[in-house]
Amino acid sequence: MNAEKFSRFRFSYHIQEEYDSQIMKQNVSLRALPQTDARQRICALSMQCPDFDCWTNSDGFGNRHWSLCCSDPHRTFDFTVEGTVLLSAAARCAGKDHPIYHMQTALTRPSSEMEGFSNEIKRPEDRSDGDCLAFAEAMSEKLYSDMSYRPGITGTGTTAAQAFELRGGVCQDYAHILLGLLRYHGISCRYAAGLAFESGKTHAWIEVYDRGSWYGIDPTNQCAAGTGYLKFSHGPDAFAASVSRGVYCGSAAYRTDIRSELKRV
């Protein structure tokens, strides 16, 4: 790996949940464990989660994650991971395709309006170069010009069709819509979650499979997901690639605070 092609960044991800009464038997899966691949190299990593047992696992999509468990009564879950990484300027990473990334999910399935929208872009089979990546970039550009970033009008369960009808949403919605549009044309693509340079929160983008590699596209910011993008996880949609997921015993309500950072050093 040529270090001259990489830039050094420091990252952190912190999630805290406070419960209004005691809970117990809490199990949490956190896909906040970035792995080394062709475009990101983990140099140092540390994790803290007081009072919880912790081990690492891998899911069916190849994402490494923390598994955390606390059986004792408690009212706080407090997790922090931080480290130093080298990130490549390239948005491309060699890898293997899988049939699941060709399939629509409940969150990405396009509406008839979305299908009509996508047909305005010349399909890969109609292009002289047959370039799926060029098609995906053109679709992302068209989507970016048609959507507006509007936090608060969608939620974690909002589908691509619902967000497209609103013509607005956040990064999860942009990613789901683009996935739905591309899969409608038979292009393999997947949802990616992680951190973006100086965004202060987790971010989502997509990866398109093209000629033996996965290529990152950020439809929210209309750019390639290269330098300044640290991937935590990927999957068919946001649910499969969710950074945080868990269960507990108890009837307590809770408040969640999530803070993250990715800065060049």
Side-chain angles (χ1 to χ4, degrees):
M1 183 176 294
N2 189 344
E4 294 180 358
K5 297 180 181 179
F6 286 70
S7 299
R8 185 176 294 270
F9 289 80
R10 182 160 187 81
F11 80 94
S12 64
Y13 172 84
H14 175 254
I15 177 171
Q16 182 182 67
E17 291 184 347
E18 295 183 348
Y19 307 90
D20 62 6
S21 62
Q22 284 194 337
I23 65 170
M24 58 191 303
K25 295 182 179 179
Q26 185 176 19
N27 290 275
V28 182
S29 176
L30 277 167
R31 292 174 179 83
L33 182 55
Q35 59 187 357
T36 291
D37 58 28
R39 66 160 305 276
Q40 60 183 42
R41 180 178 182 181
I42 313 306
C43 302
L45 191 72
S46 65
M47 184 277 285
Q48 294 181 344
C49 190
D51 303 320
F52 275 70
D53 295 326
C54 174
W55 61 97
T56 59
N57 281 315
S58 295
D59 65 19
F61 305 110
N63 302 306
R64 297 173 63 209
H65 60 94
W66 308 99
S67 293
L68 304 138
C69 176
C70 181
S71 298
D72 298 330
H74 59 281
R75 296 184 62 170
T76 302
F77 170 71
D78 196 329
F79 172 92
T80 301
V81 61
E82 56 187 3
T84 305
V85 297
L86 294 175
L87 299 179
S88 171
R92 185 182 293 273
C93 180
K96 294 182 179 180
D97 193 8
H98 192 283
I100 198 169
Y101 298 126
H102 295 255
M103 300 169 61
Q104 300 288 3
T105 72
L107 290 172
T108 69
R109 188 168 294 113
S111 61
S112 57
E113 185 182 11
M114 289 173 60
E115 292 172 359
F117 175 88
S118 73
N119 286 329
E120 297 175 19
I121 302 292
K122 184 179 289 188
R123 298 175 300 174
E125 56 267 35
D126 296 332
R127 301 172 61 96
S128 60
D129 55 8
D131 194 336
C132 291
L133 179 56
F135 176 80
E137 291 173 329
M139 190 69 74
S140 178
E141 182 178 1
K142 181 173 175 58
L143 178 63
Y144 180 78
S145 66
D146 203 63
M147 292 275 289
S148 60
Y149 189 84
R150 295 161 61 194
I153 68 169
T154 59
T156 55
T158 301
T159 67
Q162 291 168 338
F164 187 78
E165 185 176 0
L166 294 170
R167 291 300 195 277
V170 294
C171 57
Q172 172 179 302
D173 304 302
Y174 279 73
H176 279 157
I177 294 171
L178 187 54
L179 290 174
L181 296 171
L182 296 178
R183 287 174 183 163
Y184 172 66
H185 288 279
I187 294 175
S188 181
C189 49
R190 63 191 184 188
Y191 187 99
L195 305 181
F197 180 53
E198 293 189 338
S199 70
K201 52 189 175 183
T202 53
H203 190 53
W205 59 97
I206 76 156
E207 293 178 329
V208 176
Y209 195 72
D210 178 64
R211 288 169 287 187
S213 295
W214 290 99
Y215 187 89
I217 297 175
D218 182 354
T220 309
N221 296 304
Q222 184 44 32
C223 64
T227 299
Y229 287 79
L230 174 64
K231 187 172 73 171
F232 283 165
S233 61
H234 57 250
D237 57 23
F239 180 78
S242 61
V243 175
S244 175
R245 188 184 302 168
V247 295
Y248 61 82
C249 292
S251 58
Y254 62 92
R255 180 183 63 85
T256 303
D257 178 44
I258 299 176
R259 288 175 279 117
S260 61
E261 183 177 68
L262 181 64
K263 288 190 173 182
R264 193 185 298 268
V265 294

